[in-house]
Short mmCIF file of all heavy atoms in Angstrom, two decimals:
data_model
loop_
_atom_site.label_atom_id
_atom_site.label_comp_id
_atom_site.label_asym_id
_atom_site.label_seq_id
_atom_site.Cartn_x
_atom_site.Cartn_y
_atom_site.Cartn_z
N GLY A 1147 24.57 7.77 17.46
CA GLY A 1147 25.46 6.76 18.11
C GLY A 1147 25.51 5.45 17.40
O GLY A 1147 25.74 5.37 16.19
N ASN A 1148 25.23 4.40 18.18
CA ASN A 1148 25.53 3.00 17.71
C ASN A 1148 24.61 2.56 16.48
O ASN A 1148 25.08 1.78 15.73
CB ASN A 1148 25.25 2.04 18.87
CG ASN A 1148 26.41 2.04 19.85
OD1 ASN A 1148 27.51 2.35 19.51
ND2 ASN A 1148 26.11 1.76 21.02
N GLY A 1149 23.43 3.14 16.41
CA GLY A 1149 22.57 2.79 15.29
C GLY A 1149 21.97 1.33 15.32
O GLY A 1149 21.76 0.74 14.31
N ARG A 1150 21.78 0.92 16.54
CA ARG A 1150 21.13 -0.47 16.61
C ARG A 1150 19.68 -0.37 16.21
O ARG A 1150 19.17 -1.34 15.63
CB ARG A 1150 21.27 -1.03 18.07
CG ARG A 1150 22.79 -1.28 18.39
CD ARG A 1150 22.97 -1.74 19.76
NE ARG A 1150 22.56 -3.14 20.00
CZ ARG A 1150 22.56 -3.73 21.13
NH1 ARG A 1150 22.89 -3.02 22.29
NH2 ARG A 1150 22.23 -4.97 21.26
N ASN A 1151 19.01 0.70 16.52
CA ASN A 1151 17.65 0.86 15.90
C ASN A 1151 17.74 0.98 14.42
O ASN A 1151 16.88 0.43 13.68
CB ASN A 1151 16.96 2.04 16.58
CG ASN A 1151 16.30 1.67 17.93
OD1 ASN A 1151 15.38 0.89 17.98
ND2 ASN A 1151 16.85 2.28 19.02
N LEU A 1152 18.65 1.75 13.95
CA LEU A 1152 18.84 1.86 12.44
C LEU A 1152 19.02 0.50 11.84
O LEU A 1152 18.41 0.18 10.82
CB LEU A 1152 20.03 2.79 12.19
CG LEU A 1152 20.50 2.70 10.72
CD1 LEU A 1152 19.48 3.30 9.78
CD2 LEU A 1152 21.82 3.45 10.58
N ALA A 1224 16.41 8.04 15.52
CA ALA A 1224 16.78 6.76 16.06
C ALA A 1224 18.04 6.94 16.90
O ALA A 1224 19.16 6.71 16.49
CB ALA A 1224 17.04 5.76 14.94
N GLY A 1225 17.82 7.40 18.14
CA GLY A 1225 18.97 7.71 18.96
C GLY A 1225 19.60 9.06 18.57
O GLY A 1225 20.79 9.19 18.73
N PHE A 1226 18.80 9.97 18.02
CA PHE A 1226 19.39 11.27 17.64
C PHE A 1226 19.27 12.16 18.90
O PHE A 1226 18.18 12.49 19.35
CB PHE A 1226 18.52 11.91 16.54
CG PHE A 1226 19.15 13.15 15.99
CD1 PHE A 1226 20.32 13.16 15.31
CD2 PHE A 1226 18.52 14.41 16.20
CE1 PHE A 1226 20.92 14.37 14.83
CE2 PHE A 1226 19.07 15.55 15.66
CZ PHE A 1226 20.25 15.52 14.99
N MET A 1227 20.45 12.45 19.51
CA MET A 1227 20.45 13.00 20.89
C MET A 1227 20.60 14.53 20.90
O MET A 1227 21.45 15.07 21.53
CB MET A 1227 21.62 12.40 21.62
CG MET A 1227 21.58 10.87 21.72
SD MET A 1227 19.97 10.20 22.32
CE MET A 1227 20.20 10.32 24.07
N ASN A 1244 9.87 9.29 16.82
CA ASN A 1244 11.07 9.10 17.71
C ASN A 1244 10.82 7.81 18.50
O ASN A 1244 9.62 7.43 18.79
CB ASN A 1244 11.16 10.28 18.66
CG ASN A 1244 12.33 10.09 19.57
OD1 ASN A 1244 13.46 9.73 19.21
ND2 ASN A 1244 12.14 10.44 20.87
N ILE A 1245 11.86 7.17 18.80
CA ILE A 1245 11.81 6.06 19.84
C ILE A 1245 12.46 6.56 21.09
O ILE A 1245 13.52 7.12 21.07
CB ILE A 1245 12.38 4.80 19.28
CG1 ILE A 1245 12.10 3.65 20.30
CG2 ILE A 1245 13.88 4.85 19.00
CD1 ILE A 1245 12.09 2.25 19.77
N HIS A 1246 11.73 6.32 22.19
CA HIS A 1246 12.24 6.71 23.50
C HIS A 1246 12.23 5.51 24.45
O HIS A 1246 11.27 4.75 24.49
CB HIS A 1246 11.33 7.80 24.04
CG HIS A 1246 11.76 8.32 25.40
ND1 HIS A 1246 12.86 9.17 25.57
CD2 HIS A 1246 11.40 8.05 26.63
CE1 HIS A 1246 13.15 9.41 26.82
NE2 HIS A 1246 12.21 8.72 27.52
N PRO A 1247 13.39 5.32 25.12
CA PRO A 1247 13.56 4.14 25.97
C PRO A 1247 12.83 4.14 27.36
O PRO A 1247 13.46 3.97 28.34
CB PRO A 1247 15.08 4.00 26.07
CG PRO A 1247 15.55 5.37 26.06
CD PRO A 1247 14.63 6.11 25.16
N GLY A 1255 13.19 12.23 28.91
CA GLY A 1255 14.56 12.69 29.10
C GLY A 1255 15.57 11.56 29.08
O GLY A 1255 15.35 10.52 28.52
N LEU A 1256 16.66 11.77 29.85
CA LEU A 1256 17.80 10.85 29.82
C LEU A 1256 17.80 9.87 31.00
O LEU A 1256 16.95 10.01 31.88
CB LEU A 1256 19.10 11.67 29.84
CG LEU A 1256 19.25 12.64 28.62
CD1 LEU A 1256 20.52 13.47 28.83
CD2 LEU A 1256 19.32 11.87 27.35
N HIS A 1259 16.69 4.11 32.09
CA HIS A 1259 16.73 2.78 32.73
C HIS A 1259 17.09 2.86 34.23
O HIS A 1259 16.48 2.22 35.08
CB HIS A 1259 17.76 1.93 31.95
CG HIS A 1259 17.49 1.94 30.50
ND1 HIS A 1259 16.33 1.41 29.92
CD2 HIS A 1259 18.23 2.35 29.45
CE1 HIS A 1259 16.38 1.56 28.62
NE2 HIS A 1259 17.52 2.17 28.31
N ASP A 1282 9.55 14.59 24.27
CA ASP A 1282 9.08 13.24 24.62
C ASP A 1282 7.61 13.22 25.10
O ASP A 1282 7.24 12.38 25.88
CB ASP A 1282 9.92 12.64 25.74
CG ASP A 1282 11.40 12.48 25.26
OD1 ASP A 1282 11.69 12.34 24.15
OD2 ASP A 1282 12.31 12.53 26.16
N MET A 1308 16.60 -2.70 24.50
CA MET A 1308 17.02 -2.51 23.05
C MET A 1308 16.71 -3.75 22.29
O MET A 1308 16.02 -3.63 21.19
CB MET A 1308 18.55 -2.30 23.04
CG MET A 1308 19.18 -2.31 21.62
SD MET A 1308 18.41 -1.04 20.49
CE MET A 1308 19.07 0.44 21.13
N GLU A 1312 12.92 -2.30 21.66
CA GLU A 1312 13.10 -1.25 20.67
C GLU A 1312 13.25 -1.83 19.28
O GLU A 1312 12.63 -1.31 18.31
CB GLU A 1312 14.37 -0.42 21.00
CG GLU A 1312 14.24 0.33 22.34
CD GLU A 1312 15.29 1.33 22.50
OE1 GLU A 1312 15.53 2.21 21.56
OE2 GLU A 1312 16.03 1.39 23.54
C1 GAR B 141 18.14 4.02 22.09
O1 GAR B 141 17.99 3.32 23.28
C2 GAR B 141 17.09 5.07 21.88
O2 GAR B 141 15.84 4.69 22.42
C3 GAR B 141 17.65 6.20 22.72
O3 GAR B 141 19.05 6.18 22.41
C4 GAR B 141 19.41 4.83 22.05
C5 GAR B 141 20.11 4.81 20.69
O4 GAR B 141 20.69 3.61 20.43
N1 GAR B 141 17.06 7.42 22.40
C6 GAR B 141 16.85 8.38 23.34
O5 GAR B 141 17.18 8.28 24.48
C7 GAR B 141 16.17 9.63 22.79
N2 GAR B 141 15.77 10.44 23.87
P1 GAR B 141 21.04 3.18 18.95
O6 GAR B 141 21.87 4.32 18.35
O7 GAR B 141 21.89 1.92 19.08
O8 GAR B 141 19.74 2.91 18.20
#
Side-chain angles (χ1 to χ4, degrees):
N1148 284 333
R1150 293 174 78 185
N1151 276 295
L1152 168 66
F1226 187 68
M1227 303 307 277
N1244 180 43
I1245 186 156
H1246 181 77
L1256 300 175
H1259 308 298
D1282 298 333
M1308 171 58 72
E1312 297 193 51

